[in-house]
Amino acid sequence: MRTLIVYETKYGSTEKCALRLKEKLSGEVTLVNIKNEPAPALLDYDKVIIGGPVYVGSLLKKIGRFCGLNEQLLKTKKLGLFILNMREGEAAAAELDSAYSESLRTAAAALGAFGGAFNLSVMNPLNRMIVKKVSKVTEDTSSLSEESISLFAEQMNRA
């Protein structure tokens, strides 16, 4: 089985999760940061996993565009969808629902919210100021969930 993980990252947390996910998946796994490189032909893969952070209720532009342009083909694959966000429980589930179309979510073998991180040390000054003001965070913080990544990988390995 060949698996493609397509992701977009802003400050590195999604990439970190994609790398951890790759370690836990069986078979050949290819990682593509859609921010830096085009996605390969989806027809070459049995499974496709898509992930990215949610900012202001939406996925980053390139990953959102990728989903929209490839929606019909993605629904024919063993599909996994994940997000990173700083919410928990029902709020995280609601953001996952709003990040991906209903038809993609319905087709997915695995859905996951992996937690999130505020990497203030790598943010530009404007984003750092906004995060500090809105979230009251004053230093780098992370709520990335190894357990959520492992559960997602198990679901994809069974798909």
Side-chain angles (χ1 to χ4, degrees), residues 2-71:
R2 295 187 69 204
T3 302
L4 173 66
I5 301 175
V6 179
Y7 68 95
E8 185 173 7
T9 192
K10 190 165 184 170
Y11 296 113
S13 295
T14 306
E15 184 167 54
K16 181 178 179 180
C17 290
L19 288 167
R20 291 294 296 138
L21 191 55
K22 179 181 179 180
E23 294 171 2
K24 296 173 181 291
L25 293 170
S26 58
E28 181 184 334
V29 181
T30 302
L31 284 173
V32 173
N33 180 350
I34 202 160
K35 183 177 181 179
N36 300 327
E37 58 187 301
L42 296 180
L43 294 173
D44 295 339
Y45 295 90
D46 306 296
K47 299 178 183 181
V48 178
I49 297 172
I50 303 167
V54 173
Y55 283 95
V56 195
S58 298
L59 288 170
L60 296 176
K61 287 181 185 178
K62 287 187 178 183
I63 201 74
R65 189 175 313 120
F66 172 81
C67 289
L69 292 173
N70 296 289
E71 186 161 351

